[in-house]
């Protein structure tokens, strides 16, 4: 149980963004694919209704593909063409209707893009490879040419312009979960030769695609940019992610959110806030970056929220924001509940049991809390 005054002063503390905009809380709704976009990635009434119910300081949308060839999964939101602006405008308005700021998460899914959705023969990533699928099948992945990577970089900038035109307040660049930009950073995926500007042999080369995307967005729009990155990976060391985050800061990002490759674990097995140790191993290598830091993954109780936002008494260990996904699929107004309960002296943790059936439901219909909604 967290004391009401502490809850108000820590969690409901106004969170000021670099452009002076203010979020009403330091809890963000993490980017969550809801499998609710309509034909050609359009935002229709179903997705608008879902987003209008979410209570958070900032609501980050599910990943929006910046090019059709970068779509990985059915019913993702499209932000790849001028005609998408009308639906995105309604989406931003739905998010604003609850008082939240609206962030658009932008992605090119790289080798994880699905030819059956994109209409291409292959997926495009840093290197030629096969991307394993279910049932022993594989998608052929073709290495992007330098020209192709530059087109993708430009697509991020164009998508950010559309998002801002539509009324979004922030941009979140998806640099995590082994999608396109992370793949360039991860030498498991990036086998590009030493003479390639995006080479997998140097930190400079590995960072370039993500850093260029941030810089291109920064040059295109006057909007705060946050980047979600993986905090742990078998093939990437913490100090390498630290070096990356410093470059992201130099390119114009104000905040980095730490996630990890296996994003949807169960806190019962992995512990609450299961990327905390990995994130804390990175942070000292990026303290002088001037970045704000956020954490996602397995945060379930009000006590943990406050511990993370205060560093449990150590301000150097404090996070500036935290992100929740599955708990807000199950209880979109969880922040409101926790705030009301703080007044009564009895705060219950999120009801989400991290069964991940919400994710599976997205492949059959739409993402929803199967445990409590059936
Ligand atoms: C149904 C579902 C869809 C998700 N979609 C996205 C997404 O579009 N972009 C993203 O960065 N992460 C996505 N995630 C991962 C979440 O943002 C978050 O990092 C992860 O679920 C851990 O947080 P949690 O324990 O609060 O759920 C998704 C997770 C779920 C369960």
């Amino acid at each position: 149980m967290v004391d009401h005054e502490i809850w108000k002063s820590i969690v409901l503390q106004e969170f000021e963004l670099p452009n002076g905009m203010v979020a009403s809380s330091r809890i963000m709704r993490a980017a969550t694919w809801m499998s609710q976009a309509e034909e050609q990635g359009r935002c229709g009434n179903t997705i608008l209704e879902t987003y209008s119910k979410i209570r958070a300081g900032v609501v980050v949308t599910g990943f929006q593909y910046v090019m059709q060839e970068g779509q990985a999964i059915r019913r993702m939101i499209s932000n790849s063409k001028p005609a998408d602006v009308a639906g995105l405008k309604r989406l931003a308005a739905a998010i604003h209707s609850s008082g939240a700021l609206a962030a658009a998460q932008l992605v090119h899914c790289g080798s994880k893009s699905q030819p059956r959705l994109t209409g291409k023969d292959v997926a495009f990533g840093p290197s030629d490879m096969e991307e394993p699928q279910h049932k022993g099948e594989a998608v052929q992945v073709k290495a992007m040419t330098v020209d192709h990577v530059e087109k993708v970089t430009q697509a991020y900038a164009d998508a950010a312009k559309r998002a801002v035109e539509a009324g979004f307040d922030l941009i979140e660049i998806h640099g995590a979960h082994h999608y396109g930009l992370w793949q360039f950073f991860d030498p498991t995926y990036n086998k590009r030769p030493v003479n390639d500007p995006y080479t997998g042999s140097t930190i400079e080369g590995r960072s370039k695609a993500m850093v260029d995307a941030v810089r291109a967005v920064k040059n295109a729009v006057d909007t705060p940019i946050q980047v979600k990155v993986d905090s742990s990976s078998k093939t990437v060391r913490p100090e390498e992610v630290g070096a990356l985050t410093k470059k992201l800061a130099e390119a114009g990002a104000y905040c980095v959110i730490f996630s990890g490759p296996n994003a949807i674990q169960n806190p019962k097995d992995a512990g609450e806030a299961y990327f905390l140790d990995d994130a804390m191993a990175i942070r000292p290598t990026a303290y002088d970056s001037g970045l704000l830091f956020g954490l996602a993954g397995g945060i379930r109780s009000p006590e943990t929220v406050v511990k993370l936002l205060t560093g449990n008494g150590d301000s150097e260990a404090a996070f500036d924001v935290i992100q929740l996904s599955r708990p807000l699929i199950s209880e979109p107004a969880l922040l409101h509940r926790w705030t009301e309960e703080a007044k009564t002296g009895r705060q219950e943790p999120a009801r989400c049991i991290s069964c991940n059936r919400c994710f599976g439901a997205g492949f059959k219909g739409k993402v929803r809390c199967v445990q409590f909604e059936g």
Side-chain angles (χ1 to χ4, degrees):
M1 168 65 208
V2 175
D3 176 80
H4 184 231
E5 288 309 312
I6 294 180
W7 185 258
K8 269 200 323 198
S9 63
I10 304 292
V11 182
L12 304 185
Q13 186 191 71
E14 291 192 338
F15 174 60
E16 188 171 344
L17 298 168
N19 62 352
M21 283 189 150
V22 177
S24 60
S25 144
R26 295 202 282 154
I27 294 185
M28 291 187 180
R29 152 63 178 251
T32 305
W33 160 76
M34 297 302 288
S35 192
Q36 292 177 14
E38 297 181 351
E39 283 294 295
Q40 297 178 4
R42 248 195 338 265
C43 298
N45 290 341
T46 307
I47 201 166
L48 301 180
E49 197 190 331
T50 297
Y51 274 91
S52 66
K53 291 182 184 154
I54 303 169
R55 298 287 174 273
V58 174
V59 173
V60 188
T61 67
F63 53 177
Q64 307 178 359
Y65 55 86
V66 299
M67 293 169 90
Q68 174 82 64
E69 65 164 46
Q71 180 180 4
I73 201 162
R74 70 194 287 272
R75 303 187 74 184
M76 265 174 86
I77 299 167
S78 171
N79 182 344
S80 60
K81 52 190 186 305
D84 292 329
V85 173
L88 291 170
K89 213 174 245 178
R90 297 174 69 207
L91 183 59
I95 294 171
H96 287 151
S97 69
S98 72
L101 296 182
Q105 191 191 53
L106 306 181
V107 74
H108 183 298
C109 293
S111 73
K112 300 207 180 296
S113 309
Q114 277 294 342
R116 69 186 157 73
L117 297 172
T118 63
K120 303 278 180 190
D121 297 332
V122 293
F124 298 98
S127 312
D128 289 334
M129 61 175 280
E130 285 193 342
E131 182 68 58
Q133 310 290 298
H134 295 299
K135 298 181 192 157
E137 290 170 7
V139 163
Q140 293 300 319
V141 182
K142 203 168 157 21
M144 292 184 192
T145 61
V146 168
D147 186 49
H148 192 154
V149 188
E150 287 170 0
K151 285 202 171 76
V152 174
T153 305
Q154 184 57 44
Y156 275 94
D158 294 343
K161 276 194 217 158
R162 283 187 289 271
V164 170
E165 187 187 340
F168 280 89
D169 310 295
L170 297 89
I171 300 297
E172 181 172 290
I173 292 185
H174 198 342
H177 304 171
H178 288 192
Y179 287 118
L181 293 175
W182 179 266
Q183 291 172 1
F184 275 88
F185 187 64
D186 188 333
T188 324
Y189 288 88
N190 187 344
K191 310 279 187 205
R192 298 173 81 94
V194 278
N195 60 350
D196 185 282
Y198 303 94
T199 180
S201 312
T202 64
I203 288 286
E204 201 67 29
R206 287 162 51 190
S207 309
K208 184 170 166 53
M210 205 184 300
V211 168
D212 284 359
V214 170
R215 195 172 289 118
V217 169
K218 181 79 187 167
N219 290 336
V221 294
D222 185 19
T223 304
I225 303 164
Q226 56 193 45
V227 188
K228 190 171 182 182
V229 298
D230 282 348
S231 59
S232 65
S233 190
K234 286 197 180 93
T235 48
V236 175
R237 294 194 309 277
E239 59 274 23
E240 294 179 328
V241 186
L244 169 69
T245 59
K246 279 189 187 175
K247 289 178 192 299
L248 297 174
E250 284 157 19
Y254 85 100
C255 178
V256 162
I257 310 289
F258 291 113
S259 181
N262 183 7
I264 52 171
Q265 301 175 46
N266 191 330
K268 268 202 191 130
D269 310 323
E272 242 198 305
Y274 43 73
F275 292 124
L276 178 60
D277 290 348
D278 291 324
M280 291 315 291
I282 296 165
R283 285 187 47 174
T285 68
Y287 269 142
D288 52 351
S289 64
L291 283 166
L292 302 188
F293 291 111
L295 187 71
I299 301 165
R300 295 292 180 270
S301 66
E303 292 83 359
T304 300
V305 169
V306 171
K307 267 188 201 158
L308 293 170
L309 292 176
T310 56
N312 210 11
D314 172 4
S315 60
E316 290 225 320
F319 286 88
D320 300 285
V321 290
I322 54 117
Q323 291 197 339
L324 302 176
S325 168
R326 287 166 290 174
L328 302 195
I329 294 173
S330 184
E331 294 177 88
L334 175 62
L335 175 58
H336 178 70
R337 168 162 81 72
W338 276 345
T339 299
E340 289 305 303
E341 287 178 349
K343 294 176 195 160
T344 69
R346 193 180 159 82
Q347 263 178 330
E348 296 293 334
R351 71 178 188 178
C352 169
I353 59 163
S354 306
C355 62
N356 289 338
R357 283 185 288 165
C358 51
F359 196 78
F363 291 95
K364 296 187 197 123
K366 59 179 192 169
V367 170
R368 65 178 198 288
C369 179
V370 177
Q371 174 72 12
F372 291 100
E373 290 167 31

